[in-house]
Amino acid sequence: MKKLRKLYERLTEGTLFLCGNITGIAILLIVLFLFREGIGFFGRNSVEEGYVLALNRKNPVNKLSSREIKDIFDAEITNWEEVDGLDREIVLFRLNDITNYVTEEELGEEFEHIPECIAKIIHDHPDMIAFFPKAYLTENFSEKVLQVERIGLLEFFGGDEWMPTATPSAQFGILSLIMGTLWVSFGAILIALPLGIGVAIYLAEVANKRFRNFLKPVIELLAGIPSVVYGFFGLVVLVPFVQKTFNLPIGETGLSGSIILAIMALPTIITIAEDAMRTTPLAMKEASLALGATRWQTVYKVVLPYSSSGIMAAAILGIGRAIGETMAVLMVTGNAAIIPHSLLEPLRTIPATIAAELGEAPKHSTHYQALFLLGVILFIITLIINISVEFVKRKRV
């Protein structure tokens, strides 16, 4: 029997050890895959893959940034002088404009003369910038192929436009996404933290045992409700309420997202904070009461300072829940990739962007890698939050 028991214990230990290692390896592989897919984004060309931009060889402009290209094709830049060229009006050319310059007979019955026609059009128009498929770029192309600045750190983190499908030059500035994520997350924690701590104090110090045993499981059950259900609730109830209360054109705003996330973060904050408060030694509370302090003075002067590390951990984990949430935020915040100036404006968060766009991004494209890089940023933020929780848990005031 002893040998069988030892064998059983060794098998159990080996199984647990194997499960732990498999889990750790799986997490490591996921992180490595995330970094591998995202890190190749920097240094890529922002011009749509398979296309080129060409100028007349006499044009002195040799290089443009992705923002300048976008502004040129959006007619916000209309003169070459604005991009260090000559004082001439810019002429735009796309492939579907080719019949405005040549006849169908010149193109050929099977359009076999398109490359020669494009070269001739650019040659005849010194102020033209042409955007066309790279397949029509012949070896003896006599005009100038424009050099486009590669995507860099400053453009990615400091850019205020997220337009990954724009042509001819996509925009990958994530400043609006970062600001949207921070607005919603900190708005949620400002709402959830006072409510959560208040409920935790009530459960730990005021409520009787019977009511606490009923209320706490009900609160913890809120954490099990799918986020899409919260999203439907927000879309049907909360969004019209916000729109009517603040007299807004639309109710899909950062405030709606903050309130929904606050509701979703409450179970985490209440549970952790209440558990931390209940670890306060009974002798400390009795000593405070014996010295003449009231119940609320004891809570303020003894319970809260003693459990401050647990309360801080609850707040940080609540922020982590808010930052990583996807579906509910996607449904109630308006999903607008613009820099918000208040919580009463539509916005977009990093998780919502990944969820909305990853399914439509061609694999290994610039857009695809940009979304994975957003995942890397979200991973780093979450890692910092988890490290902060561990640091706070070990610190006692």
Side-chain angles (χ1 to χ4, degrees):
M1 290 295 294
K2 289 183 178 180
K3 290 183 178 180
L4 289 175
R5 185 178 298 172
K6 288 182 178 180
L7 179 62
Y8 175 75
E9 289 176 353
R10 288 180 180 178
L11 286 173
T12 304
E13 290 176 1
T15 302
L16 294 175
F17 177 78
L18 183 63
C19 291
N21 284 336
I22 291 174
T23 303
I25 292 171
I27 294 173
L28 180 61
L29 290 176
I30 291 172
V31 173
L32 289 176
F33 172 75
L34 191 65
F35 275 85
R36 189 195 70 177
E37 293 294 324
I39 205 66
F41 170 79
F42 294 111
R44 292 198 63 167
N45 198 324
S46 61
V47 174
E48 188 175 350
E49 190 172 352
Y51 286 77
V52 294
L53 291 167
L55 305 176
N56 186 284
R57 64 176 178 269
K58 295 180 181 179
N59 194 321
V61 176
N62 294 313
K63 183 180 289 188
L64 292 173
S65 67
S66 62
R67 182 63 178 266
E68 289 172 336
I69 294 170
K70 173 189 173 295
D71 289 344
I72 287 173
F73 279 84
D74 286 348
E76 294 180 16
I77 295 177
T78 58
N79 195 296
W80 284 112
E81 191 177 25
E82 299 178 57
V83 289
D84 300 327
L86 300 176
D87 185 13
R88 295 173 179 269
E89 187 176 349
I90 298 174
V91 179
L92 303 178
F93 174 83
R94 297 175 185 266
L95 187 61
N96 55 5
D97 299 326
I98 195 169
T99 53
N100 297 332
Y101 297 93
V102 295
T103 63
E104 294 184 3
E105 289 77 12
E106 290 177 294
L107 294 175
E109 293 183 1
E110 298 181 359
F111 303 104
E112 66 272 15
H113 299 310
I114 287 180
E116 293 81 0
C117 291
I118 291 175
K120 182 178 181 299
I121 293 168
I122 298 172
H123 177 77
D124 294 340
H125 296 81
D127 304 319
M128 177 177 285
I129 178 169
F131 173 64
F132 58 91
K134 194 174 183 179
Y136 295 133
L137 191 66
T138 59
E139 294 182 1
N140 57 351
F141 185 74
S142 59
E143 305 308 316
K144 183 192 302 183
V145 176
L146 185 67
Q147 296 180 18
V148 181
E149 293 181 1
R150 303 289 178 175
I151 301 172
L153 284 169
L154 183 61
E155 182 182 352
F156 184 69
F157 289 100
D160 58 357
E161 286 189 318
W162 176 264
M163 302 176 65
T165 58
T167 58
S169 184
Q171 303 298 302
F172 294 102
I174 65 167
L175 187 59
S176 60
L177 307 182
I178 293 176
M179 293 300 295
T181 303
L182 294 178
W183 270 103
V184 170
S185 301
F186 287 110
I189 208 64
L190 287 175
I191 297 171
L193 191 58
L195 290 175
I197 293 176
V199 175
I201 292 173
Y202 176 77
L203 290 175
E205 301 297 329
V206 179
N208 58 56
K209 184 176 180 180
R210 182 178 180 182
F211 186 70
R212 181 172 61 248
N213 291 338
F214 165 76
L215 185 60
K216 190 173 180 181
V218 173
I219 293 172
E220 291 174 347
L221 279 175
L222 292 174
I225 298 176
S227 61
V228 69
V229 176
Y230 282 107
F232 274 122
F233 168 77
L235 197 61
V236 174
V237 178
L238 188 58
V239 166
F241 172 78
V242 170
Q243 181 180 5
K244 184 177 179 180
T245 302
F246 295 95
N247 193 25
L248 300 173
I250 56 172
E252 288 88 352
T253 61
L255 180 60
S256 301
S258 293
I259 295 173
I260 285 294
L261 288 183
I263 296 172
M264 298 177 70
L266 275 174
T268 302
I269 295 173
I270 293 171
T271 301
I272 297 175
E274 194 261 347
D275 289 342
M277 292 177 189
R278 288 179 63 81
T279 60
T280 305
L282 184 60
M284 292 180 64
K285 293 189 284 187
E286 290 178 343
S288 175
L289 294 171
L291 290 172
T294 64
R295 174 189 290 181
W296 295 112
Q297 288 174 329
T298 300
V299 170
Y300 177 68
K301 295 290 186 179
V302 177
V303 176
L304 290 181
Y306 185 86
S307 58
S308 60
S309 63
I311 294 171
M312 285 295 297
I316 295 171
L317 287 174
I319 293 174
R321 174 70 189 271
I323 288 177
E325 185 51 52
T326 303
M327 286 308 301
V329 178
L330 182 64
M331 296 172 70
V332 301
T333 56
N335 204 28
I338 55 175
I339 295 180
H341 298 92
S342 74
L343 281 174
L344 297 178
E345 298 178 13
L347 48 79
R348 180 189 284 191
T349 64
I350 291 176
T353 301
I354 297 173
E357 298 181 6
L358 187 59
E360 299 178 358
K363 192 172 183 181
H364 302 309
S365 65
T366 306
H367 185 193
Y368 178 87
Q369 291 184 322
L371 293 175
F372 268 92
L373 196 57
L374 287 179
V376 171
I377 294 170
L378 201 60
F379 168 78
I380 293 173
I381 293 174
T382 306
L383 182 64
I384 292 171
I385 290 172
N386 290 335
I387 292 173
S388 302
V389 170
E390 292 300 320
F391 176 77
V392 170
K393 279 183 177 179
R394 295 178 184 180
K395 185 178 178 181
R396 286 283 180 182
V397 178

